């Protein structure tokens, strides 16, 4: 940020008197332009024991496979955002299930939320952000071609929980897995 | 937002060709200035069956009581932010416990996270954002003087879970309660 978005004055990076970190401050109109982490919201969509994945048509990770997910927008809940992203990226009809993973990705300044979801029909209509969308049995998941580590760990938790019978009690909510993604290896 | 924060040109509110909602777009440098919901991170701090609350020295809800909480900052996790806020607002030494509530507040464009925490010492040192900080037994919680509904519902979940023995198994994680705060009554 170089200029004040309210009055177009050049920004000063200073620590305000009542604060303890550098902020983008406008010394003309007094505005403090805060920056905060963003939420990525998505779903783990299941249809007859198969998992719906989309192949990305956008950067980053063009051509890699992902769960439907994207940035949470103003005015929506995490659940509404997750449903919207599923519609936009896969064109899938779903019934949203419980919140399943909440994963901090501090080096990307993001928090990722994935909900379980039941796909209601095999018909898909991937949008412009996806090259294609398709269903994968656990054995055919393209592990080496997945876009993000939060997608990998969310899928791993799901397959573990399924193996361990976590979803076998129809009236019991599954646990919410919450954890942090460690720094990428290239930072070491 | 009136001006581009990159080049100081006046902003146009338009829907970009590959998008489906109005964005703050700079027609000079091409920057799209996205706005996204923010996360509020805090703790429910327990000391000998009492709950630590802070009386707010800032708006909104000046003079009302709250759990220690504030906006998540860039580069930190939700847990790190919750610990930082506890230090800043109450000066309390804590050991962070599990994530306990994740609450959407869509009309405020926020998601609130509260962690359980064990207070390690009764000594407090409230910072400039708090008028005072103190410990409350369940019977003395100032319900009518609490600052936010997410604080009220987080405390209600805690007292319910405690009554129902949820915290009695030392090796079992408590559930993560996740839900949405409904619209404020004055919207009806
Ligand atoms: Zn300004
Ligand atoms: Zn510009």
């Amino acid at each position: 940020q170089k200029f004040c978005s309210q009055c177009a004055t050049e920004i000063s990076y200073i620590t305000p008197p009542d604060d303890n970190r550098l902020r983008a401050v406008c010394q003309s109109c007094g505005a403090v332009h805060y920056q905060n982490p963003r939420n990525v919201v998505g779903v783990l969509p299941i249809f007859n024991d198969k998992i719906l994945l989309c192949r990305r048509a956008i950067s980053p990770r063009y051509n890699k496979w992902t769960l439907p997910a994207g940035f949470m927008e103003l005015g929506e809940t995490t659940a509404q955002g997750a449903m919207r992203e599923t519609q936009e990226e896969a064109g899938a009809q779903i019934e949203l299930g419980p919140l399943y993973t909440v994963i901090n990705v501090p080096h990307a300044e993001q928090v990722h939320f994935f909900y379980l979801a039941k796909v209601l029909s095999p018909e898909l209509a991937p949008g412009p952000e996806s090259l294609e969308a398709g269903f994968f049995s656990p054995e055919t998941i393209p592990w080496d071609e997945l876009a993000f580590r939060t997608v990998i760990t969310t899928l791993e938790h799901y397959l573990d929980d399924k193996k361990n019978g976590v979803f076998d009690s129809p009236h019991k909510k599954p646990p919410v897995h919450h954890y942090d993604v460690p720094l990428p290896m290239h930072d070491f």
Side-chain angles (χ1 to χ4, degrees), chain A:
Chain A
Q1 174 155 17
K2 298 198 187 86
F3 300 97
C4 177
S5 55
Q6 292 310 311
C7 77
T9 301
E10 211 168 316
I11 283 293
S12 310
Y13 280 87
I14 59 169
T15 303
D18 52 350
D19 205 335
N20 51 25
R21 59 176 69 203
L22 286 178
R23 306 286 182 188
V25 174
C26 175
Q27 311 236 34
S28 173
C29 77
V32 183
H33 302 281
Y34 295 97
Q35 281 194 291
N36 298 91
R38 290 189 292 178
N39 292 333
V40 170
V41 290
V43 306
L44 196 169
I46 310 292
F47 183 74
N48 290 349
D49 288 324
K50 291 189 170 179
I51 294 157
L52 169 59
L53 296 174
C54 301
R55 198 151 61 88
R56 289 172 65 81
I58 51 175
S59 81
R61 315 295 163 82
Y62 178 90
N63 207 31
K64 300 289 185 188
W65 291 92
T66 187
L67 294 168
F71 287 112
M72 184 183 184
E73 299 277 8
L74 293 183
E76 68 186 8
T77 64
T78 48
Q80 288 166 342
M83 286 189 286
R84 176 184 50 72
E85 289 291 341
T86 309
Q87 184 56 50
E88 288 177 7
E89 297 189 353
Q93 300 298 314
I94 59 164
E95 184 180 322
L96 201 72
L99 180 60
Y100 186 59
T101 54
V102 177
I103 315 170
N104 276 278
V105 193
H107 60 275
E109 300 171 339
Q110 295 172 356
V111 182
H112 291 203
F113 298 72
F114 288 95
Y115 287 79
L116 296 176
K118 185 177 169 179
V119 181
L120 302 174
S121 150
E123 274 158 59
L124 301 176
E129 293 176 24
S130 303
L131 296 170
E132 61 176 314
F135 295 99
F136 293 79
S137 63
E139 304 74 41
T140 62
I141 291 171
W143 292 102
D144 294 338
E145 297 296 317
L146 293 177
F148 304 105
R149 280 183 303 161
T150 58
V151 168
I152 297 173
T153 59
T154 295
L155 289 170
E156 286 172 342
H157 277 295
Y158 174 73
L159 297 177
D160 270 1
D161 282 347
K162 198 163 169 61
K163 198 168 64 184
N164 294 329
V166 166
F167 307 117
D168 292 351
S169 326
H171 301 301
K172 213 176 131 189
K173 267 193 185 177
V176 178
H177 299 281
H178 52 98
Y179 50 97
D180 306 338
V181 157
L183 283 171
M185 285 312 289
H186 58 69
D187 283 8
F188 294 98

